[in-house]
Amino acid sequence: NYCQNKIYASTYGRGSYSVPLPPIPDYHITSALTLPAYYNQTFSNRIFADANVLVNIKGTINFGPNGDYVVNPQSHTILTGTLSTECPQLWNGVQVGGDITNNQSYSGGFGVYQGILEVLNGGTIQRAWNAVTTGTTDAIGNFDFSSTGGVVSCSKANFIDNARDIQYMSYPFNNNKGVFSQCKFETNNPLLGAVIPQAHITMWNVNGVKVIGSDFNYNAGGAYPLGSRGTGIGTADAKFSVRPFCL
C-alpha cells in the first residue's frame, strides 16, 4: 500500500498482517525524458528533475502523501498531462527551485539560474497541499528561503481541488516571468483528508506576476460554509496584474 508505505500479507481465515516498508530513496531524472500520454505510474517518494534536463510529462503520475516533484534550478519541466494522487490524503505538490540572489534570464531553453515549470494545454495538477511552490524544501519539509525565483508559466492549465494552487515565496527581483493565461483554478469536491481550502494563488514579496483571462471557481456546494471556501488571490507586499484575455 503506497499510501501507507506498508506491505500487507494475509492467510486464508487467519487475518492480515502488515509491516512498514523501508524509506524509498529520492529519484533523480538526469537526462532528457518524455513520458507519453499512455504513461500512468505511482511514486511514493520525491522526484527531482536535475539541472540541464528537459522533462515532458504527457501522461499521469500519482504520488503518495509524502511525494513531491522538484524542478531543480536550471531544469525545465513541461506538463501537459496530470500530476495527482489516488490516496485518501493530499500529496505535497510541485516545487520549482531557484536562486533568490539572481535573475530569471533564459539560455537555450533553460533558466540560467532558475528552474522552469510550464503547465500547458490541459495540463493538470490536483489534490495537492500546494500544487506549485516557488522554492524547495529539504526531506523533512524545512523550506529553503534562498531557493526562490523559480519560473512558473501556465497557459490553459487546470488546478483542481488543491488546498492552495500557487504559492509564490519572496523573490524581490522586478518583472517576474510568472504568467497564468486562460487557466482554471477550481474547488469541485471536498478536499482529501477533510482539509479546508486556503487560496488559489498567494504571493509574498514578488513583482510582475500576470494573471490573464483565468477562472476561479467554487463548485463544491455546501461542502464548506461561506468564509471557509478559500480566497482567489491573496498577497503581501506583492505587485501583480489581473486582466482579461484579448485576442
Side-chain angles (χ1 to χ4, degrees):
N1 185 317
Y2 75 89
C3 297
Q4 300 176 351
N5 200 36
K6 292 182 178 181
I7 186 169
Y8 284 81
S10 62
T11 56
Y12 183 75
R14 296 181 182 273
S16 62
Y17 307 88
S18 68
V19 294
L21 291 168
I24 301 174
D26 298 336
Y27 180 77
H28 286 260
I29 303 172
T30 58
S31 59
L33 176 67
T34 296
L35 300 179
Y38 59 79
Y39 183 89
N40 192 324
Q41 189 59 266
T42 297
F43 291 85
S44 57
N45 54 340
R46 309 184 83 196
I47 299 176
F48 289 81
D50 284 348
N52 302 309
V53 170
L54 175 62
V55 181
N56 279 279
I57 303 174
K58 302 178 181 181
T60 298
I61 301 177
N62 287 301
F63 290 86
N66 296 318
D68 48 27
Y69 184 94
V70 181
V71 182
N72 274 334
Q74 302 174 306
S75 177
H76 188 168
T77 291
I78 301 172
L79 173 67
T80 54
T82 299
L83 303 181
S84 186
T85 185
E86 293 181 332
C87 293
Q89 308 105 319
L90 299 171
W91 67 290
N92 288 333
V94 179
Q95 301 177 4
V96 187
D99 179 352
I100 194 173
T101 66
N102 276 299
N103 61 40
Q104 294 180 323
S105 57
Y106 286 31
S107 177
F110 293 92
V112 176
Y113 308 104
Q114 319 296 354
I116 301 172
L117 172 68
E118 294 186 87
V119 187
L120 308 173
N121 300 325
T124 299
I125 305 176
Q126 61 186 12
R127 302 173 186 162
W129 280 104
N130 297 294
V132 179
T133 298
T134 58
T136 59
T137 62
D138 63 18
I140 60 174
N142 297 312
F143 190 80
D144 179 0
F145 287 92
S146 70
S147 69
T148 63
V151 178
V152 184
S153 179
C154 302
S155 176
K156 299 180 181 178
N158 302 310
F159 300 93
I160 310 295
D161 292 341
N162 302 299
R164 172 167 34 200
D165 294 324
I166 310 295
Q167 179 177 221
Y168 272 98
M169 301 298 282
S170 177
Y171 176 70
F173 280 72
N174 291 331
N175 302 315
N176 195 296
K177 293 183 182 295
V179 61
F180 303 87
S181 177
Q182 296 179 278
C183 295
K184 293 182 179 180
F185 301 88
E186 297 184 344
T187 302
N188 295 331
N189 302 282
L191 302 189
L192 298 177
V195 172
I196 296 174
Q198 299 175 20
H200 289 296
I201 301 176
T202 60
M203 305 181 206
W204 169 37
N205 190 29
V206 294
N207 187 337
V209 174
K210 302 175 184 65
V211 181
I212 304 168
S214 295
D215 294 329
F216 296 77
N217 296 312
Y218 175 85
N219 301 313
Y224 300 99
L226 292 174
S228 296
R229 298 177 177 180
T231 57
I233 301 175
T235 68
D237 299 324
K239 296 179 181 179
F240 63 101
S241 63
V242 178
R243 62 177 189 264
F245 178 82
C246 298
L247 296 175

